[in-house]
Amino acid sequence: MALWGIEEKVKHYFADELEKEAEMTGAQFVVKFLEKKEVAHVFGIPGAAILPFYDAVLEQEHMRAINVHQGQTAIFMAEGYARSTGKVGICALTSGGGTTNFLTGLNSAHGDSIPLIVFTGQVTTNLIGKDAFQEAPIVEMARGITKAIYLVTKTEDLPKVTSEAWRLATQGRKGPVLIDIPVNVQKGLLKINLEDYLKEEKGEHIDLVKVSDSQLEEVFTMIEKAERPVLLVGGRVAGNVSDELIGLAQLLQIPIVSSLMGKDGFPNYHHLYAGIAGPVCQTQLGNKTIYESDLIVNLGEWFDSRSTGGRNFFKEGSKIIHINITEEEILFSHHIPDELVIASDVKNFILKLHNLIRSREYKPNTEALKRIESLRIEKTNLARQAESESSPLKSQQMITEVRKGIRPDAIVTLDWGLGRIWASQLYDAHEPRTFLIDRAGAMGWSLGAAMGAQLAYPQRQVVNLLGDASLGMSLEGLATAVKHDIPVVIVVFRKELEFATAAKGMGVEAELVEKPEQITDALTRAFSAYRPYLIEILVDSDAQRSVSTRLFSLSTSTLSDRMI
């Protein structure tokens, strides 16, 4: 590829040249900035309005362009990369129909506070707003589903915009930032001392919001007075404070309950983990533990329709302490009255509370210890039993067998549907950032996310667990996996659609499994192949999500009624 009309002005820059003022194109500057931020992958599709950017990517030795077969997959891959690592995911598409393919992923990343920087090509500045070929008003379209959005009309503005975008994506409440760059702005020239610029850029940061000492004292007093406190872990905690959270829970000796998004924020095998709370994706003991608690310390979760529902989800008279990164985040849960609201970085809150409790030589009371022992017994008694000799397999049993056949640190990605509901109950997440889902519920999301996670961790096992309907919405992703030799393992619940033949036609190794004892061996073959591999498991198409009536009894209504 070539930069149109300025081939004679383009050159490769070496490290010693970047220590002095140098002339480069806008696209070269942006890519050099990304290189200095140690960005290794750019996900997307080259097209006319973004070619200068991709030309600059090709100049870099340590940056790889991952070209996909459908634009939506690119942003899903960037999401998977960001969710599994905590780093910024980068993607780039051309103007018009290319950019609009990003909208679903932007909505997902915005809802879950995932740091992305999305570059979109745009028609030349003199054609904007004139219905030019492949023009789309992406700034207006994406405004409500991004943390920030820029239309850059001057090449000299790129240094300020790029550094500000990175800062916004990664600090405070993280999220996606979109930068729309007309093709002539990408090709325009600027003079800059890149090393000096990067030194100045590093010095800019947003101060963390920290809990005050008086707020900590109030929290400690409320925990001491509570008879049955619980820690509720949300998705904004998962992957960021897992070790600190384990330390706090063990010091307090109180149960941990997670939302679905926070499932991998605490080891599911730990004796203090009671399970998931929620109206649909939940465990029996998770809901029971929340309802019976008289104090809920909410760490980074929204009280929305997917996590808890209404105030009646909680025991009458219970108190709630709500900690989240900003007051804006807490306002999303305004329908749930809080006893105490703290806008704070959650990690800072946990560390400070841990230190305060240690300084007071806190010791859990006898009732707290009895509750933990009771939790351990109930956890065993209420464990879901998935054993079945029936054929075809029950999906519940399939998930149990898959968990047995992969490593503790394996990363699993899931789509929406019954498979996710069963996995929330049956699949134990052992480590942070290993249970990847999206709150927005985009069908077909999980295959792209799995490929992004696999590129982030080439030596780890990554499994995409999804239903045949979801795979039908992301089938082209198999061709992308083959093209870039991404060794992701796709495990599909086959109810109606047969995909093994189609997968083989794209170059993916595939096999059909019909018995539970075959699953572990199939996974062994898949991981040994170290290439894209599809395992199609025939499951019972009539099986439905089971909602246990053994959950526990309430005097006037069931817990499900109280979630309305």
Side-chain angles (χ1 to χ4, degrees):
M1 292 184 288
L3 295 171
W4 313 326
I6 57 170
E7 291 88 342
E8 72 281 0
K9 297 181 181 179
V10 176
K11 63 172 290 185
H12 295 267
Y13 291 94
F14 299 95
D16 59 339
E17 295 179 282
L18 297 177
E19 295 174 359
K20 53 190 177 184
E21 188 173 76
E23 187 178 67
M24 61 187 71
T25 67
Q28 284 178 317
F29 163 78
V30 171
V31 172
K32 278 291 180 187
F33 175 89
L34 297 178
E35 181 193 40
K36 293 296 183 181
K37 293 294 186 180
E38 300 181 347
V39 171
H41 301 92
V42 176
F43 306 98
I45 304 176
I50 199 69
L51 282 180
F53 176 89
Y54 274 102
D55 279 341
V57 171
L58 290 177
E59 294 177 2
Q60 306 309 311
E61 183 179 355
H62 302 294
M63 192 179 298
R64 182 182 174 193
I66 305 296
N67 298 337
V68 302
H69 287 77
Q70 207 273 352
Q72 189 169 254
T73 299
I75 195 165
F76 292 166
M77 291 179 76
E79 272 196 81
Y81 180 91
R83 289 174 189 263
S84 62
T85 63
K87 299 178 181 178
V88 179
I90 305 294
C91 47
L93 276 179
T94 193
S95 60
T99 61
T100 57
N101 282 327
F102 274 163
L103 292 173
T104 300
L106 286 171
N107 182 52
S108 171
H110 184 253
D112 294 341
S113 301
I114 305 302
L116 302 181
I117 295 184
V118 176
F119 294 97
T120 54
Q122 185 57 276
V123 299
T124 56
T125 51
N126 65 311
L127 293 178
I128 292 175
K130 298 180 179 179
D131 196 24
F133 175 66
Q134 287 194 333
E135 180 189 5
I138 192 63
V139 169
E140 288 75 18
M141 290 178 175
R143 194 177 301 278
I145 51 176
T146 51
K147 186 175 179 183
I149 193 164
Y150 300 88
L151 171 61
V152 186
T153 57
K154 296 179 181 178
T155 304
E156 56 265 33
D157 290 340
L158 281 171
K160 179 179 183 298
V161 167
T162 308
S163 62
E164 185 174 291
W166 188 277
R167 189 167 66 253
L168 288 171
T170 58
Q171 298 183 26
R173 183 199 170 189
K174 299 177 182 180
V177 177
L178 188 146
I179 306 178
D180 194 31
I181 315 179
V183 65
N184 60 309
V185 173
Q186 295 174 55
K187 295 192 291 181
L189 298 173
L190 58 83
K191 288 185 177 180
I192 190 168
N193 184 314
L194 198 57
E195 292 300 318
D196 286 350
Y197 162 79
L198 289 170
K199 288 176 184 176
E200 293 175 9
E201 190 268 338
K202 277 185 179 180
E204 300 177 9
H205 67 279
I206 299 172
D207 291 331
L208 290 176
V209 181
K210 298 179 181 179
V211 61
S212 68
D213 291 341
S214 61
Q215 288 173 324
L216 283 173
E217 289 285 354
E218 192 170 354
V219 171
F220 179 66
T221 299
M222 291 175 70
I223 291 174
E224 274 197 313
K225 290 181 178 179
E227 294 180 1
R228 302 178 70 82
V230 65
L231 296 175
L232 175 62
V233 181
R236 287 159 184 78
V237 174
N240 299 318
V241 297
S242 183
D243 290 341
E244 294 82 2
L245 184 59
I246 292 171
L248 178 62
Q250 291 183 157
L251 179 62
L252 290 171
Q253 284 296 298
I254 62 177
I256 294 279
V257 173
S258 72
S259 66
L260 176 63
M261 300 302 296
K263 180 176 172 67
D264 56 358
F266 196 86
N268 294 180
Y269 58 80
H270 198 285
H271 72 281
L272 293 176
Y273 183 71
I276 293 179
V280 179
C281 294
Q282 40 80 4
T283 60
Q284 300 165 8
L285 192 54
N287 275 351
K288 182 175 185 286
T289 302
I290 282 286
Y291 182 75
E292 290 181 345
S293 297
D294 60 351
L295 176 66
I296 297 94
V297 182
N298 177 20
L299 301 170
E301 181 53 53
W302 290 350
F303 291 139
D304 61 18
S305 60
R306 287 158 290 187
S307 60
T308 58
R311 180 65 177 87
N312 287 338
F313 181 79
F314 305 100
K315 184 178 180 180
E316 187 174 348
S318 63
K319 297 179 179 179
I320 297 171
I321 302 173
H322 195 151
I323 303 99
N324 219 320
I325 186 66
T326 66
E327 291 183 4
E328 177 189 14
E329 293 284 285
I330 297 170
L331 286 175
F332 281 109
S333 304
H334 64 87
H335 60 290
I336 305 292
D338 299 296
E339 186 76 14
L340 176 61
V341 170
I342 299 174
S344 172
D345 174 74
V346 177
K347 185 172 185 175
N348 173 266
F349 171 83
I350 291 175
L351 288 172
K352 283 194 167 185
L353 180 60
H354 188 279
N355 291 337
L356 175 64
I357 293 169
R358 278 201 176 279
S359 70
R360 301 296 171 84
E361 298 183 352
Y362 170 86
K363 291 183 179 180
N365 59 43
T366 304
E367 286 302 314
L369 296 175
K370 285 182 180 179
R371 188 185 189 198
I372 295 304
E373 177 58 20
S374 175
L375 172 65
R376 184 189 65 79
I377 295 171
E378 286 190 271
K379 195 172 181 179
T380 301
N381 293 339
L382 292 174
R384 290 287 304 272
Q385 300 299 315
E387 298 299 327
S388 172
E389 298 298 327
S390 64
S391 182
L393 281 168
K394 300 293 184 184
S395 299
Q396 299 96 314
Q397 187 181 9
M398 167 186 161
I399 291 170
T400 301
E401 294 299 324
V402 168
R403 174 69 270 189
K404 292 177 184 177
I406 61 180
R407 297 173 187 158
D409 69 343
I411 297 170
V412 63
T413 66
L414 298 108
D415 256 51
W416 273 96
L418 292 178
R420 177 180 291 198
I421 296 171
W422 287 317
S424 70
Q425 299 173 337
L426 295 165
Y427 185 95
D428 276 350
H430 290 203
E431 296 190 13
R433 301 189 184 278
T434 59
F435 190 83
L436 305 187
I437 55 177
D438 77 310
R439 185 188 296 263
M443 295 288 283
W445 174 88
S446 60
L447 178 53
M451 290 191 288
Q454 186 72 81
L455 287 168
Y457 296 103
Q459 303 306 317
R460 287 174 68 174
Q461 295 177 346
V462 177
V463 176
N464 174 211
L465 193 62
L466 77 170
D468 50 10
S470 291
L471 184 57
M473 297 184 186
S474 55
L475 192 60
E476 44 72 33
L478 298 180
T480 296
V482 172
K483 178 179 181 179
H484 297 286
D485 201 20
I486 304 171
V488 65
V489 175
I490 303 100
V491 179
V492 59
F493 302 76
R494 174 180 162 184
K495 294 183 178 179
E496 299 174 356
L497 305 174
E498 191 270 327
F499 284 112
T501 302
K504 290 176 181 177
M506 294 187 209
V508 176
E509 291 191 38
E511 63 176 283
L512 175 66
V513 168
E514 299 183 67
K515 297 180 180 179
E517 61 268 20
Q518 297 172 337
I519 294 176
T520 299
D521 288 342
L523 286 166
T524 300
R525 287 189 292 274
F527 293 125
S528 298
Y530 205 73
R531 52 172 291 125
Y533 202 104
L534 183 140
I535 301 172
E536 192 171 64
I537 302 180
L538 193 62
V539 298
D540 185 357
S541 60
D542 295 325
Q544 299 296 319
R545 175 177 68 95
S546 71
V547 181
S548 174
T549 57
R550 297 185 295 112
L551 184 54
F552 59 94
S553 299
L554 297 174
S555 58
T556 56
S557 62
T558 66
L559 181 60
S560 296
D561 294 332
R562 288 181 174 269
M563 293 178 188
I564 299 173

